Each structure stands twice: as C-alpha cells, then as structure tokens.
Amino acid sequence: MKRILVCLAAFSLIAACKKSADTTPPPDGKPTTDAGDKPAPAATEPDPPAIAEARQKYIAGQYGQVIESMKPLVDDLKSKQKARASGLGAAWLSLALAEDVVENAKEPADHAQAMAEQTGDPEVKIAAKLAQGTYKLKTEDFAGAAADFEEAYNLQKDGPNAGLALVMYGNTKINLAFGGEDNAIVNPGELDSAASTFVKAQRLVEKQPGNELIGARALEGQAAVVRYKDKKNTPEACRLIGEASKIYTSKGAGQPLIDAANALQDEASCGPAPAATP
C-alpha cells in the first residue's frame, strides 16, 4: 500500500510539472499564480450573541424569554438566508416551544434539521437533534427521541451540549420504563439505564464550568429514578433533590425547573425546599 501511495504522489508531481511547462505565458509577459486566480475565502460571519444567550436561558428553564427573543431573530435570519445561525436559533426556539405548546415546536425543529443537512455544521447538527428529540419526547415517540438524543451525544461526546443530550436521553429512558394501561413499570432495565446516563451526564459537566444547571438536572433525574425504583429509599432521593435545588436557586434557574424539583420533593416527603439565595 505504501508503495502505491508513493507512486501516486510522484505521478501528481510529474503531472503538475508538465502542466506548468505547457502553460502559455500571458500576453504582458507577467507570470500568473494560482493564488491570484482564486477569490479570497469569505470571512465567516459570527452568530448573533442572542443565540448563545438563548441556549443559556433554555438550560436555566427560562423558556418564555427564549421564545420572546428567538422568534423574531429566527424569522430575520431565515429572510437573510443565514443557514447556520437560523438553524441554531430555530433549534433553541423549538426546545423552548416544546415546553410551552409542543405543536409549535415542530416547524422550527424541522428548519433546524434542514439547516443541519445543508451546512453539515456539527454544532447545528447537535442542536437540531436535540430539538427533534425533544419534540418526539413530548409527543410520546420515545424510541425516536432516544435515537435522536443518542446521536446528538455521539456527535461530540465531550462538547458543551453533550451533558444536555445525556440528561434528555435519561429522561426518555424513564418514559420507556413505563407502559400498559395503568402506566406501570414494565421495563425496569430502562430505569437502570437512565440512572447510569444521569451519573454520566453529571460527571461530564463537572469538568465544564458554566454547565452547572445541566448537572442539577442530572441530579434531579437520579432522584426521580431512585423514587420510581424504591419508594422506601426516601433519604437518598431527598439528598439528590436537595443538591439539585441548591444549584437551581444559586444559579438563578427559572420557575419551571424549581417547580419540578419542588414537586418531586413533595412527592418524596422531603420537607421544604432550600431557600433562594438573596
């Protein structure tokens, strides 16, 4: 194989030399260069800062603020045919809309997916998969959601959104554990899978400053699994919920995240939630 590669390289050099020798000189006698014949590469336009802010607000559970800022921005970016930026913005808009009126999340999720395919941009691909998976999760296509979240994680296993993908995957696994008319646990192995996924997410984001709220979501997920698997293990469930709640309050989480943690605390009879830091 090495010999073939060497021969191919030599052939390329010979061909290049022959082409140079056969080239007709320009009329003015000045040499031409390949660099002069090629246009300068276009500068990559930075994404609007509001998109990164929308990501942070979504992770913090401030869904209404994401919708308010992203709706007009995504429309503007689409009108200007900004493929990457409109794809990212549409993904975070879809994720927030799925927490509000899930039917409204489909169009931006589909746009994000289309822009991911058009650009091939890894970041857009991940965000689009998160959006697609969340829409499927909210519409109870749990198998489809699990596949999307798994793909989002595999696209960049140590990336800034990998922990979020794992948390969403864990939440989907919890849903896959239940079934039947009485919604009982029919696949207990899915709860074990969810638990290990939440632990994996927590350990990952511990190495990523700024992703503490994703870690809190992972702790809350672990608490939910403990609660479902063994309702007598209240101390462990309450410990995990308590840790998550402290992070929520200290990092300014939105009311939806705080309400969900409080509901889990009440269900496990853990006592009052920690007071918010003034």
Side-chain angles (χ1 to χ4, degrees), residues 32 66 68 119 125 143 160 179 210 227 237:
T32 59
V66 176
E68 183 179 355
T119 64
K125 286 182 178 180
R227 180 70 182 155

Side-chain angles (χ1 to χ4, degrees), residues 19-67:
K19 178 180 179 182
S20 176
D22 293 344
T23 300
T24 303
D28 59 3
K30 295 180 181 179
T32 59
T33 61
D34 290 341
D37 296 336
K38 295 179 181 178
T44 303
E45 186 175 338
D47 300 325
I51 293 177
E53 293 169 8
R55 173 188 178 273
Q56 293 289 2
K57 288 177 180 178
Y58 171 78
I59 290 170
Q62 297 164 350
Y63 307 126
Q65 293 182 35
V66 176
I67 295 169

